[in-house]
Protein backbone atom coordinates (compact mmCIF):
# COMPACT_ATOMS: atom_id res chain seq x y z
CA UNK A 1 0.00 0.00 0.00
CA UNK A 2 1.22 3.47 -0.87
CA UNK A 3 -0.42 6.16 1.21
CA UNK A 4 -0.72 9.39 -0.75
CA UNK A 5 -1.71 12.88 0.26
CA UNK A 6 -3.66 15.32 -1.86
CA UNK A 7 -4.23 18.92 -0.82
CA UNK A 8 -7.35 20.79 -1.85
CA UNK A 9 -8.35 24.37 -1.29
CA UNK A 10 -10.82 23.94 1.51
CA UNK A 11 -13.57 26.47 1.49
CA UNK A 12 -15.06 26.01 4.92
CA UNK A 13 -18.70 26.89 4.53
CA UNK A 14 -18.94 27.50 8.21
CA UNK A 15 -16.80 27.18 11.33
CA UNK A 16 -18.75 27.53 14.56
CA UNK A 17 -17.44 28.82 17.86
CA UNK A 18 -17.80 25.31 19.26
CA UNK A 19 -15.66 23.71 16.53
CA UNK A 20 -18.19 22.37 14.04
CA UNK A 21 -17.17 22.88 10.43
CA UNK A 22 -18.44 21.93 7.01
CA UNK A 23 -17.23 22.16 3.44
CA UNK A 24 -15.69 20.11 0.66
CA UNK A 25 -12.75 17.85 1.38
CA UNK A 26 -12.36 17.08 -2.33
CA UNK A 27 -13.93 18.44 -5.51
CA UNK A 28 -14.54 16.48 -8.68
CA UNK A 29 -13.24 17.24 -12.15
CA UNK A 30 -10.61 19.81 -11.17
CA UNK A 31 -7.10 19.36 -12.57
CA UNK A 32 -4.62 19.84 -9.73
CA UNK A 33 -0.90 20.67 -9.68
CA UNK A 34 -0.05 16.94 -9.88
CA UNK A 35 -2.05 16.73 -13.15
CA UNK A 36 -4.64 14.59 -11.42
CA UNK A 37 -8.42 14.74 -11.40
CA UNK A 38 -10.69 13.06 -8.86
CA UNK A 39 -13.69 11.56 -10.67
CA UNK A 40 -17.25 11.52 -9.38
CA UNK A 41 -17.83 8.24 -7.54
CA UNK A 42 -14.20 7.79 -6.51
CA UNK A 43 -15.18 7.74 -2.81
CA UNK A 44 -18.35 5.64 -3.05
CA UNK A 45 -16.82 2.29 -2.09
CA UNK A 46 -14.58 3.61 0.68
CA UNK A 47 -17.50 5.54 2.23
CA UNK A 48 -19.54 2.33 2.24
CA UNK A 49 -16.65 0.53 3.96
CA UNK A 50 -16.41 3.23 6.63
CA UNK A 51 -20.18 3.13 7.12
CA UNK A 52 -19.99 -0.64 7.67
CA UNK A 53 -17.43 0.03 10.43
CA UNK A 54 -19.89 2.42 12.07
CA UNK A 55 -17.58 5.42 11.89
CA UNK A 56 -15.79 7.81 9.55
CA UNK A 57 -12.10 8.64 9.04
CA UNK A 58 -10.54 10.93 11.65
CA UNK A 59 -9.68 14.59 11.28
CA UNK A 60 -5.91 14.79 11.76
CA UNK A 61 -3.48 17.62 12.23
CA UNK A 62 -1.01 17.65 9.32
CA UNK A 63 -1.42 13.91 8.51
CA UNK A 64 0.00 12.99 11.91
CA UNK A 65 -1.79 9.81 12.94
CA UNK A 66 -0.81 10.48 16.56
CA UNK A 67 -2.54 13.88 16.50
CA UNK A 68 -6.24 13.41 15.81
CA UNK A 69 -8.15 16.63 16.45
CA UNK A 70 -11.69 15.39 15.99
CA UNK A 71 -14.08 13.20 14.06
CA UNK A 72 -15.84 13.73 10.79
CA UNK A 73 -19.52 13.34 11.54
CA UNK A 74 -20.78 13.35 7.96
CA UNK A 75 -19.26 12.52 4.57
CA UNK A 76 -21.10 12.18 1.31
CA UNK A 77 -20.46 12.54 -2.36
CA UNK A 78 -22.65 15.00 -4.21
CA UNK A 79 -22.38 16.52 -7.68
CA UNK A 80 -19.58 18.86 -6.57
CA UNK A 81 -17.34 16.60 -4.52
CA UNK A 82 -16.84 15.02 -1.12
CA UNK A 83 -18.90 17.11 1.29
CA UNK A 84 -17.91 16.81 4.95
CA UNK A 85 -19.00 17.97 8.35
CA UNK A 86 -16.60 17.67 11.24
CA UNK A 87 -16.23 18.45 14.91
CA UNK A 88 -12.99 19.79 16.33
CA UNK A 89 -12.53 18.53 19.88
CA UNK A 90 -11.93 21.88 21.52
CA UNK A 91 -10.47 20.30 24.65
CA UNK A 92 -7.38 19.42 22.57
CA UNK A 93 -4.74 22.12 22.11
CA UNK A 94 -4.16 21.27 18.42
CA UNK A 95 -7.91 21.47 17.77
CA UNK A 96 -7.99 24.93 19.36
CA UNK A 97 -5.13 25.99 17.08
CA UNK A 98 -6.82 24.52 13.99
CA UNK A 99 -10.07 26.26 14.95
CA UNK A 100 -8.36 29.62 15.28
CA UNK A 101 -6.60 29.19 11.93
CA UNK A 102 -9.84 28.19 10.20
CA UNK A 103 -11.84 31.04 11.75
CA UNK A 104 -9.29 33.62 10.60
CA UNK A 105 -8.95 32.01 7.16
CA UNK A 106 -5.23 31.37 7.68
CA UNK A 107 -5.79 27.74 6.77
CA UNK A 108 -7.23 27.49 3.29
CA UNK A 109 -6.72 23.84 2.56
CA UNK A 110 -7.24 20.35 3.79
CA UNK A 111 -5.58 17.19 2.60
CA UNK A 112 -6.75 13.64 2.28
CA UNK A 113 -4.63 10.64 3.08
CA UNK A 114 -5.63 7.94 0.60
CA UNK A 115 -4.59 4.94 -1.42
CA UNK A 116 -5.30 4.82 -5.17
CA UNK A 117 -7.39 1.76 -6.03
CA UNK A 118 -8.55 2.66 -9.55
CA UNK A 119 -7.21 5.13 -12.10
CA UNK A 120 -7.23 6.07 -15.76
CA UNK A 121 -4.37 7.75 -17.55
CA UNK A 122 -4.56 10.01 -20.60
CA UNK A 123 -1.11 9.73 -22.21
CA UNK A 124 -1.70 12.58 -24.65
CA UNK A 125 -2.63 15.11 -21.99
CA UNK A 126 -0.61 13.43 -19.22
CA UNK A 127 -3.58 13.49 -16.84
CA UNK A 128 -4.28 10.84 -14.23
CA UNK A 129 -7.91 10.43 -13.23
CA UNK A 130 -8.58 8.85 -9.85
CA UNK A 131 -11.63 6.63 -10.27
CA UNK A 132 -11.51 4.82 -6.92
CA UNK A 133 -9.64 5.67 -3.73
CA UNK A 134 -9.44 4.23 -0.24
CA UNK A 135 -9.75 7.14 2.17
CA UNK A 136 -7.70 6.86 5.37
CA UNK A 137 -8.02 10.36 6.86
CA UNK A 138 -8.60 14.05 6.28
CA UNK A 139 -6.13 16.59 7.62
CA UNK A 140 -6.21 20.27 8.39
Amino acid sequence: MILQHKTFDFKAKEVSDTGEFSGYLSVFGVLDSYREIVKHGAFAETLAEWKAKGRLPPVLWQHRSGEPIGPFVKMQEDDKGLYVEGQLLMELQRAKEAHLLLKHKVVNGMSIGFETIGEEYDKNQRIRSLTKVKLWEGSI
Side-chain angles (χ1 to χ4, degrees):
M1 173 187 77
I2 298 173
L3 183 65
Q4 301 167 291
H5 300 122
K6 181 174 283 300
T7 302
F8 297 93
D9 283 338
F10 178 71
K11 307 290 191 251
K13 286 185 159 190
E14 187 175 331
V15 182
S16 77
D17 290 338
T18 55
E20 292 96 359
F21 65 91
S22 64
Y24 284 87
L25 189 55
S26 175
V27 292
F28 300 133
V30 176
L31 183 64
D32 67 17
S33 62
Y34 299 107
R35 300 199 56 77
E36 295 177 336
I37 294 173
V38 178
K39 301 289 257 184
H40 187 276
F43 297 99
E45 191 172 303
T46 195
L47 291 177
E49 290 170 354
W50 281 103
K51 184 177 181 179
K53 293 177 188 178
R55 63 188 187 98
L56 292 171
V59 179
L60 299 182
W61 178 253
Q62 301 288 321
H63 299 292
R64 296 178 190 150
S65 60
E67 291 191 59
I69 56 174
F72 284 106
V73 296
K74 181 177 185 176
M75 281 189 170
Q76 67 184 40
E77 284 190 326
D78 62 19
D79 290 337
K80 183 175 179 175
L82 182 60
Y83 174 79
V84 297
E85 294 177 4
Q87 172 66 57
L88 298 173
L89 300 178
M90 300 301 285
E91 298 85 355
L92 300 171
Q93 183 58 38
R94 286 282 190 219
K96 289 178 190 175
E97 293 169 8
H99 181 258
L100 187 63
L101 294 169
L102 285 168
K103 285 289 270 189
H104 291 279
K105 300 184 188 318
V106 175
V107 172
N108 63 355
M110 285 189 71
S111 296
I112 57 173
F114 69 98
E115 177 184 353
T116 301
I117 305 299
E119 63 182 53
E120 298 168 350
Y121 188 71
D122 182 328
K123 289 182 185 179
N124 293 330
Q125 295 190 32
R126 298 180 3 252
I127 296 174
R128 183 170 90 134
S129 295
L130 304 177
T131 58
K132 187 189 300 186
V133 300
K134 184 174 188 95
L135 185 62
W136 290 101
E137 49 90 4
S139 287
I140 293 178

XYZ file of all heavy atoms in Angstrom, residues 93-138:
376
model
N -5.464 20.904 22.485
C -4.735 22.124 22.114
C -4.629 22.268 20.597
O -4.846 23.344 20.054
C -3.339 22.136 22.751
C -2.556 23.395 22.462
C -3.263 24.674 22.935
O -3.890 24.698 23.994
N -3.167 25.730 22.141
N -4.286 21.192 19.889
C -4.162 21.269 18.425
C -5.499 21.634 17.775
O -5.531 22.351 16.785
C -3.656 19.954 17.844
C -2.212 19.692 18.069
C -1.377 20.502 17.097
N -0.006 20.044 17.202
C 1.033 20.833 17.149
N 0.878 22.129 16.967
N 2.245 20.350 17.260
N -6.594 21.136 18.314
C -7.913 21.470 17.770
C -8.203 22.957 17.965
O -8.757 23.606 17.073
C -8.994 20.616 18.424
N -7.822 23.492 19.119
C -7.993 24.931 19.361
C -7.198 25.739 18.336
O -7.684 26.740 17.807
C -7.528 25.304 20.774
C -8.426 24.816 21.871
C -7.835 25.215 23.215
C -8.585 24.540 24.335
N -7.972 24.794 25.639
N -5.968 25.303 18.064
C -5.133 25.993 17.085
C -5.743 25.899 15.688
O -5.806 26.904 14.967
C -3.722 25.395 17.078
C -2.958 25.645 18.354
C -1.671 24.828 18.445
O -1.280 24.182 17.458
O -1.059 24.848 19.537
N -6.201 24.710 15.308
C -6.820 24.517 13.991
C -8.068 25.395 13.869
O -8.297 26.031 12.833
C -7.174 23.051 13.778
N -8.858 25.445 14.929
C -10.074 26.263 14.946
C -9.745 27.734 14.712
O -10.371 28.408 13.889
C -10.793 26.073 16.283
C -12.049 26.835 16.399
N -12.136 28.012 17.111
C -13.277 26.620 15.874
C -13.370 28.471 17.036
N -14.089 27.655 16.290
N -8.766 28.224 15.422
C -8.362 29.623 15.284
C -7.892 29.909 13.854
O -8.252 30.925 13.261
C -7.260 29.937 16.300
C -6.823 31.386 16.420
C -7.975 32.267 16.896
C -5.654 31.498 17.382
N -7.106 29.006 13.297
C -6.603 29.187 11.931
C -7.726 29.137 10.897
O -7.714 29.897 9.927
C -5.539 28.136 11.625
C -4.254 28.259 12.444
C -3.385 27.020 12.263
C -3.487 29.515 12.073
N -8.701 28.252 11.102
C -9.845 28.188 10.195
C -10.712 29.439 10.302
O -11.129 30.004 9.286
C -10.698 26.953 10.501
C -10.155 25.602 10.040
C -10.953 24.466 10.667
C -10.187 25.497 8.525
N -10.990 29.872 11.533
C -11.844 31.042 11.747
C -11.264 32.301 11.100
O -12.000 33.135 10.598
C -12.051 31.305 13.244
C -13.001 30.359 13.933
C -14.421 30.574 13.526
C -15.121 31.571 14.399
N -16.564 31.628 14.139
N -9.949 32.431 11.145
C -9.291 33.622 10.598
C -8.812 33.430 9.164
O -8.067 34.260 8.650
C -8.144 34.044 11.517
C -8.633 34.587 12.824
N -9.084 35.876 12.977
C -8.784 33.981 14.026
C -9.467 36.059 14.221
N -9.308 34.929 14.886
N -9.246 32.313 8.556
C -8.948 32.010 7.161
C -7.445 31.974 6.858
O -7.006 32.293 5.764
C -9.671 32.982 6.241
C -11.180 32.936 6.411
C -11.883 33.825 5.442
C -13.349 33.966 5.678
N -14.149 32.889 6.022
N -6.661 31.583 7.880
C -5.232 31.367 7.678
C -5.032 30.027 6.991
O -4.204 29.893 6.100
C -4.474 31.411 9.026
C -3.015 31.058 8.850
C -4.621 32.798 9.661
N -5.802 29.046 7.400
C -5.792 27.738 6.766
C -6.799 27.785 5.632
O -7.966 28.116 5.836
C -6.168 26.624 7.775
C -6.359 25.298 7.072
C -5.119 26.518 8.856
N -6.328 27.469 4.439
C -7.233 27.493 3.290
C -7.229 26.172 2.552
O -7.659 26.083 1.415
C -6.885 28.635 2.333
C -5.500 28.476 1.746
O -4.759 27.571 2.107
N -5.143 29.365 0.849
N -6.729 25.138 3.211
C -6.716 23.845 2.557
C -6.783 22.704 3.549
O -6.448 22.861 4.716
N -7.274 21.602 3.050
C -7.236 20.350 3.785
C -6.649 19.330 2.841
O -6.632 19.529 1.627
C -8.633 19.918 4.227
C -9.166 20.713 5.392
S -10.698 20.028 6.060
C -10.121 18.543 6.847
N -6.150 18.258 3.395
C -5.584 17.186 2.599
C -6.265 15.884 2.958
O -6.723 15.713 4.087
C -4.083 17.024 2.881
O -3.371 18.152 2.492
N -6.273 14.988 2.008
C -6.749 13.642 2.284
C -5.560 12.701 2.241
O -4.634 12.874 1.455
C -7.851 13.192 1.289
C -7.370 13.275 -0.161
C -9.110 13.996 1.495
C -8.351 12.696 -1.174
N -5.580 11.744 3.124
C -4.634 10.637 3.083
C -5.380 9.468 2.460
O -6.421 9.060 2.969
N -4.883 8.947 1.347
C -5.628 7.944 0.601
C -4.691 6.991 -0.123
O -3.499 7.244 -0.264
C -6.554 8.626 -0.423
C -5.814 9.296 -1.557
C -5.671 8.654 -2.782
C -5.257 10.552 -1.400
C -4.980 9.256 -3.823
C -4.570 11.166 -2.428
C -4.435 10.518 -3.652
N -5.281 5.926 -0.595
C -4.591 4.942 -1.425
C -5.360 4.877 -2.746
O -6.590 4.800 -2.749
C -4.633 3.589 -0.716
C -4.027 2.459 -1.457
C -4.213 1.144 -0.708
O -4.700 1.143 0.437
O -3.883 0.109 -1.306
N -4.645 4.934 -3.866
C -5.302 4.818 -5.167
C -5.648 3.365 -5.429
O -4.782 2.489 -5.387
C -4.393 5.342 -6.296
O -4.068 6.710 -6.034
C -5.070 5.237 -7.649
N -6.909 3.104 -5.722
C -7.388 1.756 -6.029
C -7.664 1.632 -7.529
O -7.362 0.624 -8.140
C -8.665 1.422 -5.223
C -8.433 1.605 -3.724
C -9.164 0.017 -5.540
C -7.355 0.713 -3.130
N -8.246 2.668 -8.129
C -8.550 2.664 -9.555
C -8.171 3.986 -10.188
O -8.335 5.046 -9.592
N -7.617 3.914 -11.405
C -7.213 5.130 -12.098
C -7.276 4.930 -13.604
O -7.279 3.800 -14.102
C -5.804 5.539 -11.703
C -4.748 4.520 -12.096
C -3.347 4.908 -11.652
O -3.157 5.194 -10.455
O -2.466 4.926 -12.512
N -7.331 6.044 -14.303
C -7.231 6.067 -15.756
C -6.148 7.074 -16.089
O -5.960 8.055 -15.352
C -8.557 6.509 -16.381
C -9.709 5.581 -16.077
C -11.066 6.179 -16.465
O -11.134 7.393 -16.802
O -12.046 5.430 -16.398
N -5.436 6.824 -17.190
C -4.370 7.746 -17.554
C -4.493 8.153 -19.013
O -4.583 7.303 -19.898
C -2.990 7.122 -17.296
C -1.859 8.098 -17.485
C -1.648 9.121 -16.575
C -1.025 8.020 -18.595
C -0.628 10.041 -16.748
C 0.005 8.942 -18.771
C 0.198 9.949 -17.852
O 1.195 10.867 -18.027
N -4.526 9.454 -19.254
C -4.559 10.012 -20.602
C -3.120 10.363 -20.982
O -2.571 11.363 -20.493
C -5.454 11.249 -20.629
C -5.591 11.865 -22.011
O -4.638 11.790 -22.819
O -6.658 12.436 -22.281
N -2.516 9.523 -21.831
C -1.112 9.725 -22.207
C -0.906 11.023 -22.983
O 0.124 11.677 -22.825
C -0.621 8.545 -23.051
C -0.459 7.277 -22.278
C 0.066 6.177 -23.184
C 0.108 4.855 -22.440
N 0.595 3.775 -23.304
N -1.856 11.369 -23.835
C -1.704 12.576 -24.648
C -1.667 13.844 -23.796
O -0.851 14.724 -24.016
C -2.821 12.680 -25.684
C -2.732 11.581 -26.723
O -1.645 11.101 -27.038
N -3.874 11.175 -27.248
N -2.567 13.915 -22.836
C -2.629 15.110 -21.986
C -1.849 14.956 -20.681
O -1.746 15.896 -19.916
C -4.082 15.467 -21.695
C -4.838 15.868 -22.942
C -6.199 16.441 -22.614
O -6.395 17.066 -21.574
N -7.146 16.242 -23.509
N -1.348 13.738 -20.438
C -0.606 13.426 -19.218
C -1.432 13.761 -17.968
O -0.979 14.427 -17.045
C 0.733 14.158 -19.189
C 1.658 13.782 -20.310
C 3.002 14.503 -20.312
N 3.266 15.405 -19.207
C 3.274 16.742 -19.305
N 3.029 17.321 -20.435
N 3.553 17.479 -18.246
N -2.669 13.261 -17.968
C -3.575 13.488 -16.840
C -3.986 12.145 -16.256
O -4.423 11.253 -16.980
C -4.830 14.269 -17.281
C -4.437 15.669 -17.752
C -5.845 14.346 -16.140
C -5.576 16.464 -18.352
N -3.827 12.031 -14.945
C -4.276 10.836 -14.229
C -5.606 11.140 -13.581
O -5.755 12.136 -12.871
C -3.245 10.439 -13.174
C -3.613 9.158 -12.436
C -2.456 8.674 -11.579
N -2.516 9.242 -10.250
C -2.340 8.557 -9.127
N -2.059 7.261 -9.172
N -2.396 9.144 -7.965
N -6.591 10.298 -13.839
C -7.912 10.434 -13.229
C -8.073 9.357 -12.176
O -7.921 8.167 -12.462
C -9.009 10.279 -14.290
O -8.938 11.326 -15.226
N -8.369 9.777 -10.963
C -8.580 8.847 -9.854
C -10.043 8.414 -9.884
O -10.939 9.234 -9.681
C -8.239 9.506 -8.524
C -6.826 10.087 -8.417
C -6.626 10.786 -7.089
C -5.770 9.018 -8.636
N -10.274 7.139 -10.150
C -11.633 6.625 -10.270
C -12.105 5.919 -9.004
O -13.308 5.789 -8.782
C -11.748 5.654 -11.454
O -10.814 4.582 -11.260
C -11.448 6.363 -12.774
N -11.156 5.455 -8.183
C -11.515 4.817 -6.917
C -10.359 4.984 -5.946
O -9.209 4.699 -6.278
C -11.777 3.325 -7.123
C -12.321 2.641 -5.872
C -12.392 1.117 -5.971
C -13.250 0.612 -7.074
N -13.391 -0.863 -7.010
N -10.659 5.486 -4.763
C -9.643 5.668 -3.733
C -10.119 5.054 -2.422
O -11.316 4.922 -2.167
C -9.287 7.161 -3.511
C -8.754 7.792 -4.777
C -10.451 7.936 -2.964
N -9.154 4.679 -1.599
C -9.438 4.226 -0.237
C -9.022 5.374 0.672
O -7.850 5.720 0.739
C -8.659 2.958 0.080
C -8.972 2.382 1.432
C -8.269 1.046 1.623
C -8.730 0.381 2.889
N -9.793 -0.562 2.663
N -9.990 5.972 1.331
C -9.746 7.138 2.171
C -9.332 6.701 3.570
O -10.033 5.908 4.214
C -11.025 7.989 2.238
C -10.943 9.312 2.960
C -9.962 10.250 2.281
C -12.327 9.949 3.011
N -8.201 7.207 4.036
C -7.704 6.859 5.366
C -7.959 7.980 6.388
O -8.227 7.720 7.548
C -6.221 6.546 5.330
C -5.933 5.274 4.620
C -5.480 5.139 3.328
C -6.130 3.952 5.102
N -5.378 3.815 2.995
C -5.765 3.062 4.068
C -6.592 3.428 6.295
C -5.845 1.674 4.212
C -6.657 2.041 6.449
C -6.281 1.192 5.400
N -7.854 9.242 5.933
C -8.024 10.357 6.857
C -8.167 11.654 6.084
O -7.888 11.720 4.898
C -6.832 10.449 7.829
C -5.462 10.395 7.180
C -4.855 11.731 6.774
O -5.455 12.789 7.052
O -3.776 11.724 6.181
N -8.596 12.688 6.793
C -8.604 14.050 6.277
C -7.839 14.918 7.264
O -7.995 14.765 8.474
